[in-house]
Each structure stands twice: as C-alpha cells, then as structure tokens.
C-alpha cells in the first residue's frame, strides 16, 4: 500500500459485485477486483455491511431517464453510467489503512460513510454540480473495501455494523425531506410508501423527533400495527377508492405536509388533501415518474412543491446523533451475504418486505 499506514495486512484483490450494464439482475456479476489505494486524504475502510437501496436498483436498470427523454437509460444524475460499477451507498465498516496526510490514530475506528463528495459549501453540498455519489459516479459498497475521504467518515451510531448501515441513505433522505419542508410540532404529515426505507424512517422522525402527527399510506394494511408502533397515528391503504376522504377523516382536516416517494399514482391525491399553503416534498417516483399536473391547483392553493435528494453534512450528523440517543430504531427486514446480491435485489422489489435489506461481509453484525 506504499506510504499508507496499515492496521492489518491488505490483500491486492477483493471480492466485489459489479453492474456490467443496464438491465436485470443478471447484470450483477461477482468478480475479483483490485483493492483501492487511498490517496493522501483518504482512508481504506473494510466493509462489513452495506444496505440495498432503490437507487441501486434504478442505477442498474438505468431508471432515472435523461433531462430530454424520461425513458432513456441513465444514472441518478441523468447521465450515462461508466460500467462496470460497484453499487451500494450505505456502508458500515472499519478503517484499516490511511493515506499520507491522515493521522494513523484513526486505525480501527468503526465508521459509517457520508455517501457522496462535492465541492459545495456547507448547507449546499448536495446541490453542487460536481456531486459524486457512491454507486453512480464512483464505486460503492458491494465489495470488501472502499477508499473514502477521512473527513466524510463518521463514528458508527450503533455497535452493530448491520444496524448502522441501515440508516444511511433512506433515513438521511427522510430527515432531509422533513427539514426542507420546515415541519413544526403538531403539523399533520402524510407519508406515502410508508413500508419502504424512506417512508418507514420518515414515520419515526416525523413523530418522535419533529413532533408531527404522521399518517402513513401503504399498499395494504398487513403491517399497520408495525407502523403504528413506529409512531404513525393512522395507517391507510392507498388502494382505497375513497382515499382523499379517508385521509381527511383520519387527519381531522387537511394535511400540512406530504412526504412522497411514490409519484404518479398518488400525485393528484397528495395535492388534493393539502391545505392552502401546504407543502409537497418529493424524493422518489417508484410508482411512476411522469404525471399530469393541473397547474391551477398549485397556484390557487398556494402550494409549495419541494424536490429532495440526499441532504447536508449537518443533517447527516444530526440524524446520527438522534440514532445514537435511541430516538430512531433500525429497521432490518433481511440480511444476505454479499455473494447473493442478485437475490437481495430481487427480494428488495417484493412489496411485502418491511425495513432494510442488508448485504453482509463476514459474520460481523
């Protein structure tokens, strides 16, 4: 490893799962690839757990579209991906080597990684043009090792690698949606996709941290009790033929803020149930990315539509502090070994799951 300081002997090759091109899970391929060498301001992290995210699936499928053609295959920046690419943004691991400018006292630290780099200033780092996201513009966590800037490593919020990896992008996104929507205690919040990673963490954050009244929408009501345990005041099925009325009844009036990751199927409903001056925060479109909008609804009701992607380092640190205090609980549905990344991504798309899907290296929880 040259001038780098090592905690342990580092092999020259590592196991990794790479995406070879846009397509199905057959385009996930296990390979032996070179272990990355940290530059002078980086550390080498041995990865013990990496959560699966919807962004991993969309990257493989090319599901983000381009600015000019919504059906054209592209990565999350709406640009072409350079393949092969190692997916994965939610990493928990141990620092095992450091670059020339890094104090070796950090060797052995258990860390989670802030998932992107950029030149943006504090508070705007997620909006910079040069943002580089793991799994998209650079390799990510479906591997044994990753080199990453030391300044973007944070202490693990929980003793478990698996549990600590479960928060990074989903919980971070939910936190950012609530911050950007300027939610205040007592407001009525509608959360779509409530059994998914972002939605299920949004229930906890909205109710237990922001003091809001969280109403959850899900495909069916089989997980209603679990969502109520997380902090939802009511859980509704979005398949209801009287959904708008159901929401207004459950809320005892109109909604202050909607947190949406579903997109087209619920878009009109979200706008209809918002009060005058309400806010709609959007961080995904898993149900459909293209929709129809009656612009009159927006301006006549004085609505704000807020786009949300990732978040700031300050928000990330705030989230980790709250996790460390036990106010937000990890939600784990199933753990797979790294070699079964195909199975993990196929399982991820099943609607009956609840909580995060984790890929694990070795048997360290």
């Amino acid at each position: 490893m040259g001038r780098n300081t090592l905690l342990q002997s580092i092999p020259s090759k590592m196991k990794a799962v790479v995406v070879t091109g846009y397509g199905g899970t057959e385009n996930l391929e296990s390979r032996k690839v070179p272990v990355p060498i940290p530059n002078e301001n980086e550390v080498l992290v041995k990865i013990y757990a990496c959560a699966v995210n919807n962004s991993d699936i969309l990257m493989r499928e090319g599901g983000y579209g381009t600015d000019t053609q919504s059906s054209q295959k592209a990565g999350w920046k709406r640009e072409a991906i350079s393949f092969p690419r190692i997916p994965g943004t939610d990493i928990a691991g141990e620092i095992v080597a450091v670059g020339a400018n890094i104090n070796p006292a950090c060797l052995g630290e258990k860390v989670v990684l802030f998932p992107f780099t950029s030149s943006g200033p504090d508070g705007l780092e997620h909006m910079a043009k040069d943002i580089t996201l793991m799994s998209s513009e650079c390799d990510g966590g479906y591997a044994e090792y990753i080199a990453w800037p030391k300044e973007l490593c944070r202490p693990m919020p929980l003793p478990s690698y698996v549990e600590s990896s479960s928060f990074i992008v989903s919980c971070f996104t939910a936190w950012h949606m609530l911050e950007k929507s300027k939610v205040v205690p007592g407001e009525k919040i509608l959360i779509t996709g409530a059994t998914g990673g972002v939605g299920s963490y949004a229930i906890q954050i909205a109710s237990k941290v922001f003091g809001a009244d969280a109403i959850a929408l899900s495909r069916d009501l089989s997980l209603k009790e679990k969502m109520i345990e997380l902090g939802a005041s009511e859980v509704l099925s979005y398949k209801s033929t009287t959904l708008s009325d159901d929401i207004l009844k459950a809320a005892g009036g109109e909604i202050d803020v909607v947190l949406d990751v579903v997109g087209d199927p619920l878009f009109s409903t979200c706008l209809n149930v918002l009060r005058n001056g309400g806010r709609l925060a959007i961080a995904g479109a898993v149900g459909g990315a293209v929709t129809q909008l009656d612009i009159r609804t927006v301006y006549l009701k004085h609505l704000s539509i807020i786009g949300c992607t990732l978040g700031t380092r300050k928000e990330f640190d705030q989230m980790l502090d709250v996790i460390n205090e036990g106010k937000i609980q990890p939600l784990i549905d199933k753990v797979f070994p790294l070699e079964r990344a195909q199975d993990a991504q196929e399982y991820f798309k099943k609607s009956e799951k609840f909580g995060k899907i984790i890929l694990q290296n070795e048997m360290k929880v």
Side-chain angles (χ1 to χ4, degrees):
M1 302 289 290
R3 293 184 299 158
N4 300 308
T5 303
L6 309 181
L7 176 66
Q8 58 186 243
S9 177
I10 308 296
S12 61
K13 296 277 190 178
M14 66 176 180
K15 63 183 179 182
V17 175
V18 304
V19 179
T20 59
Y22 300 125
T25 54
E26 69 276 3
N27 286 9
L28 286 170
E29 182 178 300
S30 294
R31 292 184 178 179
K32 283 285 188 176
V33 302
V35 172
I37 297 174
N39 69 28
E40 58 186 10
N41 296 314
E42 292 181 335
V43 295
L44 186 70
V45 174
K46 184 173 178 60
I47 301 168
Y48 287 112
C50 180
V52 177
N53 270 301
N54 197 55
S55 58
D56 304 347
I57 313 297
L58 288 171
M59 184 274 280
R60 171 176 51 75
E61 295 175 344
Y64 287 100
T66 64
D67 289 332
T68 57
Q69 188 174 342
S70 63
S71 61
Q72 187 171 339
K73 295 186 182 303
W76 84 280
K77 287 181 74 173
R78 316 203 82 181
E79 300 171 354
I81 297 289
S82 177
F83 296 109
R85 174 66 71 221
I86 301 173
T89 55
D90 291 33
I91 294 172
E94 179 185 19
I95 297 175
V96 294
V98 299
N101 290 345
I102 305 301
N103 187 336
C106 70
L107 289 169
E109 288 182 2
K110 297 179 178 181
V111 293
V112 293
L113 307 188
F114 187 79
F116 67 88
T117 65
S118 83
S119 63
D122 288 348
L124 295 174
E125 50 267 52
H126 59 308
M127 295 187 183
K129 292 284 188 181
D130 65 349
I131 190 169
T132 298
L133 178 68
M134 290 178 191
S135 180
S136 183
E137 290 71 55
C138 67
D139 286 335
Y142 288 28
E144 291 184 281
Y145 296 93
I146 188 171
W148 202 242
K150 175 61 175 67
E151 67 172 348
L152 299 181
C153 298
R154 299 290 187 268
M156 282 201 334
L158 299 175
S160 162
Y161 290 107
V162 167
E163 291 184 346
S164 293
S165 74
S166 71
F167 298 101
I168 296 168
V169 166
S170 293
C171 193
F172 185 26
T173 298
W175 188 285
H176 179 63
M177 293 175 83
L178 285 151
E179 285 278 4
K180 199 170 181 182
S181 302
K182 301 185 185 304
V183 171
V184 298
E187 286 197 303
K188 299 167 186 175
I189 311 298
L190 181 68
I191 299 170
T192 74
T195 59
V198 175
S200 55
Y201 281 126
I203 293 171
Q204 293 193 66
I205 301 167
S207 61
K208 298 176 181 178
V209 180
F210 284 77
D213 178 5
I215 298 168
L217 291 185
S218 66
R219 183 187 300 270
D220 58 56
L221 301 181
S222 63
L223 296 169
K224 178 175 181 177
E225 292 305 316
K226 287 187 177 181
M227 285 183 276
I228 288 176
E229 288 175 9
L230 294 181
S233 63
E234 185 58 88
V235 181
L236 305 172
S237 170
Y238 68 70
K239 294 190 292 186
S240 169
T241 58
T242 57
L243 182 57
S244 291
D245 290 339
D246 295 346
I247 293 168
L248 296 174
K249 181 179 179 181
E254 293 177 307
I255 297 293
D256 296 297
V257 179
V258 176
L259 308 183
D260 182 44
V261 296
V262 173
D264 176 54
L266 296 177
F267 189 74
S268 294
T269 299
C270 290
L271 295 184
N272 289 339
V273 299
L274 280 168
R275 64 167 172 83
N276 283 3
R279 293 96 77 196
L280 169 61
I282 303 172
V286 295
V290 180
T291 194
Q292 289 187 322
L293 168 63
D294 186 337
I295 296 171
R296 294 166 296 187
T297 303
V298 178
Y299 71 76
L300 290 174
K301 293 183 69 174
H302 309 277
L303 301 180
S304 297
I305 299 178
I306 305 165
C308 302
T309 299
L310 299 170
T312 69
R313 296 183 193 181
K314 180 180 178 180
E315 290 168 342
F316 191 74
D317 292 339
Q318 290 172 331
M319 175 192 76
L320 293 178
D321 287 343
V322 168
I323 294 166
N324 187 261
E325 293 168 4
K327 294 179 181 177
I328 307 174
Q329 299 300 315
L331 300 173
I332 311 295
D333 183 285
K334 194 167 184 178
V335 179
F336 291 82
L338 176 62
E339 295 83 359
R340 291 183 59 199
Q342 284 191 9
D343 294 336
Q345 287 201 0
E346 289 169 357
Y347 181 81
F348 180 92
K349 300 198 78 169
K350 293 183 177 180
S351 60
E352 61 267 25
K353 73 180 189 308
F354 186 67
K356 297 297 295 183
I357 314 305
I358 312 293
L359 293 173
Q360 185 178 35
N361 274 320
E362 300 186 14
M363 292 310 293
K364 292 196 176 184
V365 296

